[in-house]
PDB file of all heavy atoms in Angstrom:
ATOM      1  N   VAL A   1     195.865  22.180  -8.049  1.00 82.00           N
ATOM      2  CA  VAL A   1     194.409  22.119  -7.879  1.00 82.00           C
ATOM      3  C   VAL A   1     193.866  20.879  -8.588  1.00 82.00           C
ATOM      4  O   VAL A   1     194.028  20.754  -9.805  1.00 82.00           O
ATOM      5  CB  VAL A   1     193.717  23.373  -8.457  1.00 82.00           C
ATOM      6  CG1 VAL A   1     192.209  23.266  -8.291  1.00 82.00           C
ATOM      7  CG2 VAL A   1     194.236  24.641  -7.800  1.00 82.00           C
ATOM      8  N   PRO A   2     193.229  19.955  -7.875  1.00 87.00           N
ATOM      9  CA  PRO A   2     192.598  18.817  -8.557  1.00 87.00           C
ATOM     10  C   PRO A   2     191.351  19.281  -9.290  1.00 87.00           C
ATOM     11  O   PRO A   2     190.493  19.946  -8.705  1.00 87.00           O
ATOM     12  CB  PRO A   2     192.255  17.864  -7.405  1.00 87.00           C
ATOM     13  CG  PRO A   2     192.153  18.732  -6.198  1.00 87.00           C
ATOM     14  CD  PRO A   2     193.091  19.876  -6.401  1.00 87.00           C
ATOM     15  N   GLN A   3     191.254  18.974 -10.553  1.00 90.00           N
ATOM     16  CA  GLN A   3     190.103  19.418 -11.327  1.00 90.00           C
ATOM     17  C   GLN A   3     189.806  18.423 -12.441  1.00 90.00           C
ATOM     18  O   GLN A   3     190.673  17.624 -12.827  1.00 90.00           O
ATOM     19  CB  GLN A   3     190.335  20.807 -11.907  1.00 90.00           C
ATOM     20  CG  GLN A   3     191.563  20.944 -12.772  1.00 90.00           C
ATOM     21  CD  GLN A   3     191.732  22.341 -13.334  1.00 90.00           C
ATOM     22  OE1 GLN A   3     190.761  23.054 -13.568  1.00 90.00           O
ATOM     23  NE2 GLN A   3     192.974  22.747 -13.541  1.00 90.00           N
ATOM     24  N   PRO A   4     188.589  18.452 -12.989  1.00 92.00           N
ATOM     25  CA  PRO A   4     188.192  17.499 -14.027  1.00 92.00           C
ATOM     26  C   PRO A   4     189.113  17.511 -15.247  1.00 92.00           C
ATOM     27  O   PRO A   4     189.368  16.472 -15.838  1.00 92.00           O
ATOM     28  CB  PRO A   4     186.780  17.960 -14.394  1.00 92.00           C
ATOM     29  CG  PRO A   4     186.278  18.657 -13.173  1.00 92.00           C
ATOM     30  CD  PRO A   4     187.463  19.312 -12.559  1.00 92.00           C
ATOM     31  N   TYR A   5     189.591  18.683 -15.631  1.00 93.00           N
ATOM     32  CA  TYR A   5     190.480  18.801 -16.791  1.00 93.00           C
ATOM     33  C   TYR A   5     191.657  17.836 -16.681  1.00 93.00           C
ATOM     34  O   TYR A   5     191.982  17.122 -17.639  1.00 93.00           O
ATOM     35  CB  TYR A   5     190.971  20.246 -16.888  1.00 93.00           C
ATOM     36  CG  TYR A   5     191.988  20.509 -17.976  1.00 93.00           C
ATOM     37  CD1 TYR A   5     191.574  20.747 -19.290  1.00 93.00           C
ATOM     38  CD2 TYR A   5     193.349  20.546 -17.703  1.00 93.00           C
ATOM     39  CE1 TYR A   5     192.503  21.009 -20.299  1.00 93.00           C
ATOM     40  CE2 TYR A   5     194.282  20.805 -18.693  1.00 93.00           C
ATOM     41  CZ  TYR A   5     193.859  21.031 -19.992  1.00 93.00           C
ATOM     42  OH  TYR A   5     194.777  21.285 -20.969  1.00 93.00           O
ATOM     43  N   ASN A   6     192.298  17.804 -15.520  1.00 94.00           N
ATOM     44  CA  ASN A   6     193.459  16.942 -15.310  1.00 94.00           C
ATOM     45  C   ASN A   6     193.090  15.470 -15.504  1.00 94.00           C
ATOM     46  O   ASN A   6     193.796  14.713 -16.173  1.00 94.00           O
ATOM     47  CB  ASN A   6     194.026  17.137 -13.912  1.00 94.00           C
ATOM     48  CG  ASN A   6     194.301  18.589 -13.572  1.00 94.00           C
ATOM     49  OD1 ASN A   6     194.187  19.472 -14.407  1.00 94.00           O
ATOM     50  ND2 ASN A   6     194.658  18.840 -12.331  1.00 94.00           N
ATOM     51  N   ALA A   7     191.996  15.061 -14.873  1.00 95.00           N
ATOM     52  CA  ALA A   7     191.595  13.657 -14.908  1.00 95.00           C
ATOM     53  C   ALA A   7     191.200  13.208 -16.305  1.00 95.00           C
ATOM     54  O   ALA A   7     191.559  12.109 -16.752  1.00 95.00           O
ATOM     55  CB  ALA A   7     190.433  13.424 -13.939  1.00 95.00           C
ATOM     56  N   LEU A   8     190.469  14.046 -17.031  1.00 96.00           N
ATOM     57  CA  LEU A   8     190.022  13.652 -18.365  1.00 96.00           C
ATOM     58  C   LEU A   8     191.166  13.691 -19.379  1.00 96.00           C
ATOM     59  O   LEU A   8     191.182  12.898 -20.332  1.00 96.00           O
ATOM     60  CB  LEU A   8     188.860  14.540 -18.807  1.00 96.00           C
ATOM     61  CG  LEU A   8     187.451  14.069 -18.382  1.00 96.00           C
ATOM     62  CD1 LEU A   8     187.138  12.692 -18.947  1.00 96.00           C
ATOM     63  CD2 LEU A   8     187.289  14.046 -16.873  1.00 96.00           C
ATOM     64  N   LYS A   9     192.121  14.575 -19.185  1.00 96.00           N
ATOM     65  CA  LYS A   9     193.301  14.557 -20.057  1.00 96.00           C
ATOM     66  C   LYS A   9     194.119  13.285 -19.813  1.00 96.00           C
ATOM     67  O   LYS A   9     194.714  12.733 -20.739  1.00 96.00           O
ATOM     68  CB  LYS A   9     194.152  15.801 -19.817  1.00 96.00           C
ATOM     69  CG  LYS A   9     193.562  17.085 -20.404  1.00 96.00           C
ATOM     70  CD  LYS A   9     193.379  17.008 -21.905  1.00 96.00           C
ATOM     71  CE  LYS A   9     193.005  18.341 -22.504  1.00 96.00           C
ATOM     72  NZ  LYS A   9     192.710  18.246 -23.970  1.00 96.00           N
ATOM     73  N   ALA A  10     194.163  12.826 -18.565  1.00 96.00           N
ATOM     74  CA  ALA A  10     194.827  11.555 -18.275  1.00 96.00           C
ATOM     75  C   ALA A  10     194.071  10.395 -18.923  1.00 96.00           C
ATOM     76  O   ALA A  10     194.682   9.446 -19.442  1.00 96.00           O
ATOM     77  CB  ALA A  10     194.929  11.348 -16.767  1.00 96.00           C
ATOM     78  N   ALA A  11     192.751  10.459 -18.909  1.00 97.00           N
ATOM     79  CA  ALA A  11     191.947   9.415 -19.545  1.00 97.00           C
ATOM     80  C   ALA A  11     192.226   9.347 -21.043  1.00 97.00           C
ATOM     81  O   ALA A  11     192.234   8.260 -21.639  1.00 97.00           O
ATOM     82  CB  ALA A  11     190.464   9.674 -19.293  1.00 97.00           C
ATOM     83  N   LEU A  12     192.482  10.498 -21.660  1.00 97.00           N
ATOM     84  CA  LEU A  12     192.807  10.525 -23.086  1.00 97.00           C
ATOM     85  C   LEU A  12     194.067   9.704 -23.382  1.00 97.00           C
ATOM     86  O   LEU A  12     194.134   8.983 -24.373  1.00 97.00           O
ATOM     87  CB  LEU A  12     193.045  11.964 -23.535  1.00 97.00           C
ATOM     88  CG  LEU A  12     191.891  12.740 -24.158  1.00 97.00           C
ATOM     89  CD1 LEU A  12     192.396  14.093 -24.652  1.00 97.00           C
ATOM     90  CD2 LEU A  12     191.252  11.966 -25.294  1.00 97.00           C
ATOM     91  N   ILE A  13     195.063   9.854 -22.516  1.00 97.00           N
ATOM     92  CA  ILE A  13     196.320   9.131 -22.716  1.00 97.00           C
ATOM     93  C   ILE A  13     196.079   7.621 -22.616  1.00 97.00           C
ATOM     94  O   ILE A  13     196.586   6.839 -23.430  1.00 97.00           O
ATOM     95  CB  ILE A  13     197.372   9.587 -21.694  1.00 97.00           C
ATOM     96  CG1 ILE A  13     197.686  11.078 -21.878  1.00 97.00           C
ATOM     97  CG2 ILE A  13     198.639   8.760 -21.825  1.00 97.00           C
ATOM     98  CD1 ILE A  13     198.580  11.664 -20.805  1.00 97.00           C
ATOM     99  N   ALA A  14     195.295   7.223 -21.624  1.00 97.00           N
ATOM    100  CA  ALA A  14     195.001   5.798 -21.457  1.00 97.00           C
ATOM    101  C   ALA A  14     194.211   5.254 -22.651  1.00 97.00           C
ATOM    102  O   ALA A  14     194.490   4.162 -23.159  1.00 97.00           O
ATOM    103  CB  ALA A  14     194.217   5.584 -20.156  1.00 97.00           C
ATOM    104  N   HIS A  15     193.227   6.038 -23.103  1.00 97.00           N
ATOM    105  CA  HIS A  15     192.390   5.583 -24.223  1.00 97.00           C
ATOM    106  C   HIS A  15     193.210   5.501 -25.515  1.00 97.00           C
ATOM    107  O   HIS A  15     193.030   4.569 -26.312  1.00 97.00           O
ATOM    108  CB  HIS A  15     191.207   6.530 -24.391  1.00 97.00           C
ATOM    109  CG  HIS A  15     190.194   6.063 -25.395  1.00 97.00           C
ATOM    110  ND1 HIS A  15     189.701   4.782 -25.410  1.00 97.00           N
ATOM    111  CD2 HIS A  15     189.593   6.718 -26.437  1.00 97.00           C
ATOM    112  CE1 HIS A  15     188.823   4.656 -26.401  1.00 97.00           C
ATOM    113  NE2 HIS A  15     188.756   5.808 -27.045  1.00 97.00           N
ATOM    114  N   ALA A  16     194.100   6.452 -25.706  1.00 97.00           N
ATOM    115  CA  ALA A  16     194.950   6.428 -26.905  1.00 97.00           C
ATOM    116  C   ALA A  16     195.822   5.181 -26.925  1.00 97.00           C
ATOM    117  O   ALA A  16     196.037   4.578 -27.988  1.00 97.00           O
ATOM    118  CB  ALA A  16     195.819   7.682 -26.960  1.00 97.00           C
ATOM    119  N   GLY A  17     196.320   4.781 -25.745  1.00 97.00           N
ATOM    120  CA  GLY A  17     197.122   3.563 -25.678  1.00 97.00           C
ATOM    121  C   GLY A  17     196.326   2.347 -26.095  1.00 97.00           C
ATOM    122  O   GLY A  17     196.823   1.490 -26.848  1.00 97.00           O
ATOM    123  N   ASP A  18     195.083   2.268 -25.635  1.00 97.00           N
ATOM    124  CA  ASP A  18     194.218   1.152 -26.036  1.00 97.00           C
ATOM    125  C   ASP A  18     193.934   1.176 -27.537  1.00 97.00           C
ATOM    126  O   ASP A  18     193.996   0.153 -28.219  1.00 97.00           O
ATOM    127  CB  ASP A  18     192.892   1.211 -25.266  1.00 97.00           C
ATOM    128  CG  ASP A  18     193.051   0.874 -23.797  1.00 97.00           C
ATOM    129  OD1 ASP A  18     194.118   0.351 -23.416  1.00 97.00           O
ATOM    130  OD2 ASP A  18     192.116   1.154 -23.018  1.00 97.00           O
ATOM    131  N   LEU A  19     193.606   2.373 -28.046  1.00 97.00           N
ATOM    132  CA  LEU A  19     193.293   2.497 -29.469  1.00 97.00           C
ATOM    133  C   LEU A  19     194.493   2.144 -30.342  1.00 97.00           C
ATOM    134  O   LEU A  19     194.344   1.564 -31.424  1.00 97.00           O
ATOM    135  CB  LEU A  19     192.835   3.924 -29.790  1.00 97.00           C
ATOM    136  CG  LEU A  19     191.439   4.329 -29.326  1.00 97.00           C
ATOM    137  CD1 LEU A  19     191.201   5.809 -29.627  1.00 97.00           C
ATOM    138  CD2 LEU A  19     190.364   3.482 -29.990  1.00 97.00           C
ATOM    139  N   SER A  20     195.694   2.494 -29.870  1.00 97.00           N
ATOM    140  CA  SER A  20     196.884   2.208 -30.674  1.00 97.00           C
ATOM    141  C   SER A  20     197.048   0.715 -30.914  1.00 97.00           C
ATOM    142  O   SER A  20     197.532   0.292 -31.975  1.00 97.00           O
ATOM    143  CB  SER A  20     198.131   2.782 -29.990  1.00 97.00           C
ATOM    144  OG  SER A  20     198.474   2.041 -28.831  1.00 97.00           O
ATOM    145  N   GLN A  21     196.646  -0.089 -29.941  1.00 96.00           N
ATOM    146  CA  GLN A  21     196.717  -1.535 -30.098  1.00 96.00           C
ATOM    147  C   GLN A  21     195.565  -2.059 -30.956  1.00 96.00           C
ATOM    148  O   GLN A  21     195.750  -2.903 -31.840  1.00 96.00           O
ATOM    149  CB  GLN A  21     196.678  -2.208 -28.719  1.00 96.00           C
ATOM    150  CG  GLN A  21     197.859  -1.874 -27.828  1.00 96.00           C
ATOM    151  CD  GLN A  21     199.151  -2.459 -28.347  1.00 96.00           C
ATOM    152  OE1 GLN A  21     199.197  -3.593 -28.811  1.00 96.00           O
ATOM    153  NE2 GLN A  21     200.227  -1.682 -28.273  1.00 96.00           N
ATOM    154  N   ALA A  22     194.373  -1.529 -30.695  1.00 96.00           N
ATOM    155  CA  ALA A  22     193.189  -2.034 -31.387  1.00 96.00           C
ATOM    156  C   ALA A  22     193.159  -1.648 -32.859  1.00 96.00           C
ATOM    157  O   ALA A  22     192.647  -2.417 -33.700  1.00 96.00           O
ATOM    158  CB  ALA A  22     191.933  -1.511 -30.685  1.00 96.00           C
ATOM    159  N   LEU A  23     193.678  -0.482 -33.215  1.00 96.00           N
ATOM    160  CA  LEU A  23     193.575   0.006 -34.592  1.00 96.00           C
ATOM    161  C   LEU A  23     194.808  -0.299 -35.439  1.00 96.00           C
ATOM    162  O   LEU A  23     194.803  -0.080 -36.647  1.00 96.00           O
ATOM    163  CB  LEU A  23     193.317   1.516 -34.595  1.00 96.00           C
ATOM    164  CG  LEU A  23     192.021   1.974 -33.914  1.00 96.00           C
ATOM    165  CD1 LEU A  23     191.842   3.485 -34.065  1.00 96.00           C
ATOM    166  CD2 LEU A  23     190.813   1.234 -34.472  1.00 96.00           C
ATOM    167  N   ALA A  24     195.862  -0.793 -34.820  1.00 96.00           N
ATOM    168  CA  ALA A  24     197.076  -1.102 -35.577  1.00 96.00           C
ATOM    169  C   ALA A  24     196.832  -2.074 -36.728  1.00 96.00           C
ATOM    170  O   ALA A  24     197.386  -1.892 -37.830  1.00 96.00           O
ATOM    171  CB  ALA A  24     198.158  -1.643 -34.639  1.00 96.00           C
ATOM    172  N   PRO A  25     196.002  -3.119 -36.550  1.00 94.00           N
ATOM    173  CA  PRO A  25     195.758  -4.031 -37.671  1.00 94.00           C
ATOM    174  C   PRO A  25     195.112  -3.350 -38.881  1.00 94.00           C
ATOM    175  O   PRO A  25     195.193  -3.867 -40.000  1.00 94.00           O
ATOM    176  CB  PRO A  25     194.817  -5.087 -37.066  1.00 94.00           C
ATOM    177  CG  PRO A  25     195.131  -5.066 -35.600  1.00 94.00           C
ATOM    178  CD  PRO A  25     195.389  -3.619 -35.300  1.00 94.00           C
ATOM    179  N   GLN A  26     194.465  -2.200 -38.653  1.00 94.00           N
ATOM    180  CA  GLN A  26     193.853  -1.460 -39.757  1.00 94.00           C
ATOM    181  C   GLN A  26     194.798  -0.399 -40.322  1.00 94.00           C
ATOM    182  O   GLN A  26     194.415   0.396 -41.177  1.00 94.00           O
ATOM    183  CB  GLN A  26     192.556  -0.792 -39.291  1.00 94.00           C
ATOM    184  CG  GLN A  26     191.505  -1.789 -38.837  1.00 94.00           C
ATOM    185  CD  GLN A  26     190.216  -1.110 -38.430  1.00 94.00           C
ATOM    186  OE1 GLN A  26     189.577  -0.435 -39.233  1.00 94.00           O
ATOM    187  NE2 GLN A  26     189.826  -1.277 -37.173  1.00 94.00           N
TER     188      GLN A  26
END
């Protein structure tokens, strides 16, 4: 079943990848 939960959980993974690069210097 396609639902918002699936899409937003996928967005979390993408955002975490970005944050891992941006926050590493700190």
